[in-house]
């Protein structure tokens, strides 16, 4: 992709301010930014719409829903990736880290039987020029999984893998410190009886105690060896954050308490929260709200998690809270880009990639009117 483009009469959101002017793109890169109100020849007239950087998504589980749209149903991987990509691009996301979980399958299923086709589908679709956004892999590593290191091994040197997180979803701490909430969610989700959910709870707690520490240490060592940015998932306590910092992790994903978020800030970890949490006004798991952390200045990055369209909506929700549009949009553009080591995108500056959005506010809702990736219109 290498497109040329000129836009005029746009409200351009830079890293520092919102200015009205024009912008030029050549060869897929931003070449000029001008406050001049005169419309250059051949320019697309934005009519006062916002011009924003393309969004950068570090953690979305969305692909899995397209590959397995119903229990026991597996969709052809390439078209599943294309369907996921179309929805991501329509949400203004031009760089996406597809988060795939390294954890054993249900009902005796071999997780690699679903994991490998999804990864191969991303690779094939991207190599074939079938995708609108640029895709990378984020491996979500479940430390309670006895065989998580074996699941990671085939992807250890895969260039698609550019981010990883370390998780412990055992009930009784982190995301599910409230055992009653855990029972409520998983009993309904999996259709389990009281006896079955009791057995599952005990099994997962035992797995965390048996495998958690050794797998966490081993996975962090692999990530550091690859030079991957590593995130700690669902930090609940100061001790969780201190452990993450000691292991070289750089992001605290979805901290579940204000205490953990404050500790993350003190230890220099970037704090990532869910945009659905922010848009909905609270956590579906009953944990700390993203809005509360935002009011404390403790949100650096937003993730759409399971609702792609929430990412831009979440950024404008932050702006409504009074932090200013450039700072709010940084949580979905430059901050996640930098956390992932991508310095060529996330800002509107000459020399950077022309990943761009045209956005209009309608009754307070951000509406995406066009999306460009490297200067080429993709949505």
């Amino acid at each position: 992709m290498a497109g040329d483009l000129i836009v005029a009469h746009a409200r351009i959101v830079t890293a520092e301010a919102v200015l009205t002017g024009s912008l030029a793109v050549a060869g897929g890169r931003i070449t000029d930014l001008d406050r001049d109100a005169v419309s250059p020849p051949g320019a697309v007239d934005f009519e006062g719409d916002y011009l924003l950087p393309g969004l950068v998504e570090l953690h979305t589980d969305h692909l899995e829903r397209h590959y397995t749209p119903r229990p026991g149903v597996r969709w052809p991987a390439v078209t599943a990736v294309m369907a996921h990509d179309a929805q991501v691009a329509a949400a203004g996301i031009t760089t996406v880290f597809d988060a795939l979980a390294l954890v054993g399958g249900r009902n005796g299923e071999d997780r690699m039987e679903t994991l490998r086709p999804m990864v191969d589908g991303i690779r094939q679709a991207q190599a074939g020029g079938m995708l609108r956004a640029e895709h990378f892999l984020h491996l979500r590593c479940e430390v309670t999984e006895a065989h998580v290191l074996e699941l990671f091994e085939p992807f250890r040197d895969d260039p698609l893998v550019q981010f990883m997180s370390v998780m412990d979803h055992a009930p009784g701490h982190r995301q599910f410190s409230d055992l009653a909430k855990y029972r409520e969610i998983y009993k309904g989700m999996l259709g389990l009886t009281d006896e079955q959910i009791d057995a599952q709870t005990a099994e997962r707690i035992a797995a965390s105690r048996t495998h958690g520490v050794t797998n966490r240490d081993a996975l962090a060592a692999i990530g550091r060896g690859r030079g991957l940015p590593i995130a700690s998932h669902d930090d609940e306590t100061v001790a969780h954050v201190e452990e993450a910092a000691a292991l070289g992790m750089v992001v605290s994903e979805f901290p579940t308490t204000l205490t953990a978020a404050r500790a993350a800030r003190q230890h220099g970890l970037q704090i990532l929260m869910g945009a659905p949490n922010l848009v909905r006004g609270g956590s579906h798991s009953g944990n700390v709200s993203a809005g509360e952390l935002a009011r404390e200045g403790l949100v650096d990055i937003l993730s759409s998690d399971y609702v792609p369209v929430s990412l831009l909506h979440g950024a404008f929700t932050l702006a409504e809270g009074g932090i200013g549009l450039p700072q709010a949009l940084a949580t979905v553009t430059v901050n996640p880009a930098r956390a992932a080591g991508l310095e060529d995108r996330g800002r509107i500056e000459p020399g950077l990639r022309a990943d761009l959005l045209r956005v209009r506010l309608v009754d307070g809702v951000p509406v995406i009117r066009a999306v460009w990736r490297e200067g080429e219109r993709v949505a």
Side-chain angles (χ1 to χ4, degrees):
M1 290 185 176
D4 296 351
L5 172 71
I6 302 173
V7 304
H9 304 143
R11 281 190 285 175
I12 303 170
V13 183
T14 70
E16 296 81 25
V18 181
L19 57 91
T20 301
S22 61
L23 178 140
V25 172
R29 297 276 168 166
I30 299 168
T31 57
D32 191 39
L33 181 60
D34 197 336
R35 290 177 180 267
D36 194 341
V38 176
S39 181
V44 178
D45 188 345
F46 264 43
E47 302 174 335
D49 288 348
Y50 287 107
L51 177 63
L52 312 179
L55 309 186
V56 179
E57 171 58 69
L58 290 184
H59 179 131
T60 175
D61 308 332
H62 199 244
L63 172 57
E64 302 237 16
R65 300 176 182 211
H66 289 277
Y67 182 64
T68 310
R70 291 286 187 276
V73 174
R74 296 181 188 171
W75 202 255
V78 169
T79 51
V81 172
M82 291 173 65
H84 158 62
D85 171 75
Q87 193 166 349
V88 161
I93 298 166
T94 52
T95 303
V96 57
F97 287 73
D98 296 318
L100 300 181
L102 302 187
V103 63
R106 297 174 185 167
N107 303 319
E109 176 188 74
D110 182 350
R111 176 57 172 161
M112 195 58 72
E113 290 182 2
T114 57
L115 197 60
R116 174 56 77 184
M118 285 189 286
V119 174
D120 289 344
I122 295 169
R123 196 186 324 278
Q124 182 178 342
Q126 189 143 267
M130 305 175 194
L131 304 181
R132 296 165 171 83
E134 183 171 14
H135 290 248
F136 298 101
L137 275 180
H138 168 167
L139 295 184
R140 302 174 60 223
C141 306
E142 179 62 52
V143 299
T144 65
E145 166 61 48
H147 304 292
V148 67
L149 296 176
E150 295 173 30
L151 290 171
F152 193 103
E153 188 58 33
F155 309 106
R156 179 191 286 259
D157 299 315
D158 192 323
L160 271 180
V161 177
Q162 294 295 322
F163 202 88
M164 64 183 287
S165 57
V166 181
M167 313 178 297
D168 184 338
H169 281 111
H173 70 169
R174 295 185 179 266
Q175 184 178 14
F176 291 111
S177 58
D178 184 342
L179 285 173
K181 191 69 175 179
Y182 175 85
R183 288 175 58 87
E184 174 191 333
I185 290 175
Y186 278 92
K187 186 178 176 183
M189 182 188 300
L190 302 178
L192 302 179
T193 65
D194 287 336
E195 293 75 14
Q196 288 171 326
I197 195 67
D198 286 344
Q200 185 198 74
T201 298
E203 179 183 336
R204 291 192 173 182
I205 290 172
S208 177
R209 290 171 178 166
T210 302
H211 306 294
V213 173
T214 54
N215 279 344
R216 186 178 295 272
D217 290 350
L219 288 162
I222 292 171
R224 292 194 306 270
R226 262 284 313 267
L228 296 177
I230 313 172
S232 180
H233 194 75
D234 294 334
D235 294 323
E236 178 192 2
T237 66
V238 172
H240 290 158
V241 174
E242 289 175 343
E243 177 184 51
L247 291 172
M249 300 183 190
V250 296
V251 175
S252 177
E253 282 191 322
F254 314 115
T256 64
T257 65
L258 178 58
T259 297
R262 285 172 172 165
R265 173 67 76 244
Q266 292 168 359
H267 284 80
L269 276 70
Q270 293 283 288
I271 301 165
L272 180 152
M273 290 298 288
N277 179 324
L278 187 65
V279 172
R280 293 178 62 253
S283 163
H284 76 282
S285 302
N287 296 315
V288 70
S289 77
E292 180 180 354
L293 296 191
R295 288 188 291 274
E296 293 263 348
L298 295 173
V299 176
D300 302 307
I301 298 169
L302 286 177
S303 164
S304 70
D305 198 6
Y306 56 96
V307 185
V309 74
S310 71
L311 198 58
L312 186 62
H313 194 168
F316 273 87
T317 300
L318 280 180
E320 289 170 7
I323 69 170
L325 192 55
Q327 185 180 349
L329 284 168
T331 65
V332 296
T333 56
V334 62
N335 292 354
R338 284 178 171 161
L342 301 174
E343 293 290 345
D344 63 344
R345 66 197 76 188
R347 309 185 305 285
I348 294 182
E349 281 180 25
L352 298 188
R353 279 171 53 129
D355 295 347
L356 303 167
L357 309 182
R358 180 178 181 176
V359 174
R360 176 175 295 180
L361 283 182
V362 179
D363 296 330
V365 176
V367 177
I368 295 172
R369 304 190 68 202
V371 180
W372 291 266
R373 176 181 154 206
E374 295 186 272
E376 291 283 349
R377 179 83 181 263
V378 294

